Amino acid sequence: MGWILRRIAISLLLIWVVSSIVFLAIHLVPGDPAEVLLSLGGSAPDADSVAALRAQLGLDQPILTQYLHSLSHFVVGDLGDSLSDGTPVMSEALRRLPRTLELIGAAALISTAAGVPAGVAAAVNRGGPLGRCFSALSGLALSTPVFVVGSLLVMIFAQWLRLAPAGGYVAFGEDPLRHLLLLSMPAATIALGLWAQIFRMTRSSLLDVLQRDFIRTARAKGLREHAVIMRHALRNALAPILTVLALNVGSLLGGTVLVEYIFNWPGLSGALVEAVNNRDYPMVVGCIVIISTLFVSLNLLVDIAYGLLDPRVRAR
Amino acid sequence: MRRFPWVSASAVAFLVILALLAPYLALPDPTRMDLAGRFAAPHASHLLGQDEYGRDVLSRLVWGARVSLSVSLGAALLAAVVGVTLGVIGGYLRGGAEFVTLRLTDILLCFPPMLLALLIVTLFGPGARTLIPVLAIVYAPSFARVAYAGALTIRSLDYVTAIEALGAGRPRIMARTILPNIAGPVLVQFSLAVAASMVLEAGLSFLGLGVTPPAPSWGLMIGAARATMSQAPQLLLWPCAALTAAILSINALCDGLRDYVDPQPAARRPTRLADRTAPGLAAPPSRDTVLSLRGLSVAIDTPRGAIQPVRDVSFDIKAGETLALVGESGSGKSLTGLALMGLLPPAARVEAGRAWLDGIEVLDSAPDIVRGLRGDRVAMIFQDPMSSLNPVHRVGDQIAEVILAHRDVGAADARSRAVALLRQVGVPDPPRRAAAYPHEMSGGMCQRVMIGMAVANGPRLLIADEPTTALDVTVQAQVLTLMSDLKRETGVALLFITHNLPVVAEIADRVVVLYAGQVVEQGDAAETFAHPRHPYTKALLGSAPREEGPPPEGIPGSVPSPGELPSGCCFAPRCAMRLAACERPPPLVEIGGGRTSRCIRWSEM
């Protein structure tokens, strides 16, 4: 159990550093947030309202006081209030977070379910037509930005074929079928690029493992090729595939920003874009801290999964 | 070395030239509006038509390439300079610089790129000016990592140490030695960063947070066209196609560069020859012969043509007999064993020969028939037991697996037989050890597990490929004793592949000596060792370490590589007894007492 605790401690440390950096970035950058905020309309703000807003945001306090203040609130889960509508950032974020997670989860599920078998097929029939076809497809998928995929999907499936709505959100409890229908396009959009990554990693990782001595042993046992691949090769190839999945969660979370915007999916990333547009500092900081925390936690989960997959990691 | 990726390189070059020439291309002003020409179809003055403000689409595409490329190239360049500097300093100077570099990149990598970009855009506001530093901060960590790893490797190379000893200054070493050496990976990283920045720039512009209108940008064009996609789908398709094509060609260039800079030999697909010549086939062997091998030749296709590491090898093994296959490394002994198992590596193939195991042909049979024999009638143990066991499965399960693959028994039954086998091969506390993973056991214990696995189904033939080479000397003796005991108890025929002659003298009944893929001498082990009838065998015996007598002498010269075999006797160049007649290939001749030799002067020895 020691190794799990050590990794948890490292992750907590990283989260602390990340949130401190976000805090510092906001405060050390030239230009007063209050002034920037009030000058959005174009006219120069008057000094009184700037001072009032500074007081409201606590910007008149010394920076260390502000930092300790935000940190102590952050620890108990208080990320301040949104500037645009005054709702607590935490409750708004927690309301939206599950929707973003659902999107990512669905995309990860689709891309893994399609990417791992495709990668296995391409590795086993090396140089075959199927593998070449998948490789070309993955090259195209990796080169198509997520918002291009999303826009094209909207045009094809919503505008031309009228198979699915162009976007929106309905809670699962209200109308499960419509919820899944609305989920399908944004999830597929994110899944395409991830599929290509998982496909490539599965293929190369499996090709690598198939060279190892223990695969020769498995063959020497007279196992069927299916058992050699599934029981002996794939499980040893899974660790790099998991890493790819984890490393991509970063770009996935970034991808959700664009995808939620395109499909009007009311998730956390969509809120972030809106907050950036409105210069809603507490909301921006809150969203970034939460998403980065999520990112770090996912990496932590992957580390733990590594240990469960490969007993040698636990010993280290 | 792979070919330079010309196709993708020219595509990228075309893009760059187009972007550079944009002002000189007699295109309409990309920002000039013409409300009368809104959504106009393509015609002579507007080759791709006009957009929702009547602006020329082609011109906006070309100028968009200029914006996109200048932002992404600028960002990648800045990221490369910052990242490589940090990485090289960290990797070369170590200490505090290393700590700062690594932790800084760790922290920056905690932010997903898009989020980091959004955070910075929030602080500094949108616009092409902000974008370049923003993207540079996002992508600098990956450069730092690549440069750090490269610098770390190169720092420890001998010639860097040598230059250091000659008194070259540190900045000079970093700039002159390390930089050129990490250029390859950095170049690859650079094209990756250009493609990634291009995507991120377009994404931010798409959201309205990147390039500000009315400047032409592919991301902006895509974002704007979404509103009018039902009226004018082409306005969406053109920039999408341009962006995807640009990124596709950069990615292809990047993949090509990676192969070019760091070539990996491409393994060939396994091929199975339908027709093989089988010269001089003997009649199927007699009953107590477990294995009969006739005329085995193995070929490996290399870029310089096929080579034959095993040529015309024949031998028989009887039940309960131990045949030692002896030779230096590269003599073809391991390939012979693998060929018998049907486990040749993908690049190698059986070119000729037949082998009967218990009367069943194994070299030319369907793969499924051979697979059914493996682990059942014929089993093999390998040199390195630690890497030959699967690290993620318990050893008991790995033994049970081979029983389940060939016997119709339940899982629980197979597991209890696995425990019994562990006891039989001398593993202490078998029930507990069955639940252990290979990395929790010593090399000797792992080899015992491998042996247990091999004898699990009572094979007729056991092929052992240097089974003791990777083990400690004391453990070697134990494993040899175990194999002798098993042979006595079960009557299994043993093909023992080794270069270790003392081991052969101890365990083998008969010996086959291989040199450069050919059998040079074959016969009873004791007699062959007492009176070798081939100069190579004699030299091999002379070079083996022994307890008494004169110290071992090496054999002058080295084994010829399979691509450059002498036309006559392969051993002649190293042989003290060679004659002019040795320029012709000598035949393998019977010399009485069931022995054969491939030396024309065997009787003089």
Side-chain angles (χ1 to χ4, degrees), chain B residues 551-573:
Chain B
E553 333 157 1
I555 310 175
S558 59
V559 186
S561 78
E564 298 153 352
L565 293 177
S567 57
C569 172
C570 290
F571 188 62

Side-chain angles (χ1 to χ4, degrees), chain A residues 213 217 219 221 231-232 295, chain B residues 374 387-388 398 401 406:
Chain A
D213 285 352
T217 307
R219 294 216 167 101
K221 285 170 163 182
R231 230 179 297 158
H232 289 270
F295 188 43
Chain B
R374 284 202 296 263
S387 67
S388 293
Q398 296 194 50
E401 188 181 32
H406 298 282

Side-chain angles (χ1 to χ4, degrees), chain B residues 550-596:
Chain B
E553 333 157 1
I555 310 175
S558 59
V559 186
S561 78
E564 298 153 352
L565 293 177
S567 57
C569 172
C570 290
F571 188 62
R574 302 170 74 184
C575 183
M577 295 173 68
R578 70 173 169 271
L579 302 171
C582 295
E583 298 294 319
R584 285 188 302 278
L588 192 64
V589 289
E590 305 259 344
I591 57 172
R595 296 177 62 185
T596 51

Side-chain angles (χ1 to χ4, degrees), chain B residues 69 72 75 154 185 243 251 288 319 323 326 328 335 338 355 439 463 465-466 474 476 516 600 604:
Chain B
L69 270 178
S72 50
I154 286 154
L243 183 58
N251 280 343
D288 65 335
L323 177 81
V326 184
E328 292 168 90
L335 281 176
L338 290 172
H439 74 272
I463 303 175
D465 186 358
E466 306 257 12
T474 48
Q476 284 186 9
I600 52 174
E604 299 167 41

Side-chain angles (χ1 to χ4, degrees), chain A residues 25-44:
Chain A
I26 294 276
H27 289 84
L28 293 185
V29 151
D32 185 359
E35 217 165 306
V36 174
L37 195 68
L38 290 174
S39 47
L40 269 187
S43 55

